[in-house]
Amino acid sequence: ESFYVCDENIDYDQNMNWSSRNVWPLNEMLPTFKQSTIDYFNAMNILGYKMNEYLGLSLNLSLNYFNVDDIFGYEPQPVLRLIHYFPIISNVDIGRFGAGQHSDYGIMTFLITDGNQGLQILYNDEWMNVLEIENQYENEPVIIVNIGDGLQRFTNDHYKSTKHRVVMRESIHRYSAAFFWEPNLNAIIKCVETICNDLKE
């Protein structure tokens, strides 16, 4: 099960006839939930723009190549998904997973977990466990970055989208927060011109 959060700063009445405003739990039930979630959302937004800069530099493009109005600069559509996995042990043989194999369709996904194992990525045709790494700074979580299909297309396969799944090995409740970094709705996802002729295996 999951709880979706979109950008509180977007005027949905004016610009989004396909969506609506966030619906929050009652304050009496969870008094700090809304503000804490918005603060986290905004922090991930800042991270997204910074990652766009690193991405541009890694491809020998300008610092703000991906932050221009046509891609991310006008009104990007990030989504935060707060996920709860039920304590049901997976069975790979019969196809029972916490989450089945997939890749994210957007640009990047910033993911934090509660530290319980379960996330796997496909690497060289083998499933690998994504382990929590002890961070050198106290009380700072590890942020896992998944590459999405949109970024693979932008970069002509220089960056490959991350196929991943969740395999529950224990009967425990597992929680994660996935922030999907998405461009403007009218952004055209096409190969960056300077690398369009590069072929990647």
Side-chain angles (χ1 to χ4, degrees), residues 28-164:
E28 308 89 81
M29 297 172 58
L30 297 168
T32 64
F33 178 78
K34 178 178 179 180
Q35 192 57 54
S36 297
T37 305
I38 291 173
D39 290 346
Y40 181 77
F41 189 104
N42 292 338
M44 291 297 100
N45 249 345
I46 293 170
L47 175 61
Y49 285 114
K50 181 56 68 175
M51 290 294 288
N52 282 356
E53 293 180 358
Y54 295 143
L55 176 61
L57 293 177
S58 76
L59 297 169
N60 295 317
L61 302 168
S62 69
L63 189 70
N64 289 313
Y65 182 91
F66 291 98
N67 286 335
V68 295
D69 283 352
D70 288 346
I71 303 176
F72 271 96
Y74 168 59
E75 201 166 68
Q77 300 296 313
V79 175
L80 174 63
R81 185 181 177 201
L82 307 176
I83 308 169
H84 167 229
Y85 296 92
F86 288 99
I88 301 172
I89 295 177
S90 298
N91 186 325
V92 175
D93 294 333
I94 65 171
R96 184 173 68 221
F97 299 94
Q101 173 184 334
H102 66 285
S103 58
D104 299 334
Y105 60 81
I107 305 303
M108 286 178 277
T109 302
F110 308 135
L111 178 72
I112 62 171
T113 76
D114 60 3
N116 290 311
Q117 292 187 24
L119 179 63
Q120 295 182 331
I121 62 169
L122 188 63
Y123 180 73
N124 287 340
D125 295 323
E126 291 187 7
W127 288 103
M128 298 176 56
N129 293 318
V130 177
L131 304 176
E132 289 294 327
I133 303 170
E134 287 296 327
N135 197 285
Q136 60 179 320
Y137 299 108
E138 194 173 320
N139 298 324
E140 290 193 11
V142 173
I143 299 177
I144 299 164
V145 180
N146 282 340
I147 294 169
D149 300 335
L151 183 53
Q152 179 170 331
R153 184 172 179 82
F154 261 133
T155 65
N156 197 28
D157 292 5
H158 277 251
Y159 292 109
K160 304 275 192 179
S161 61
T162 311
K163 289 185 174 61
H164 55 286

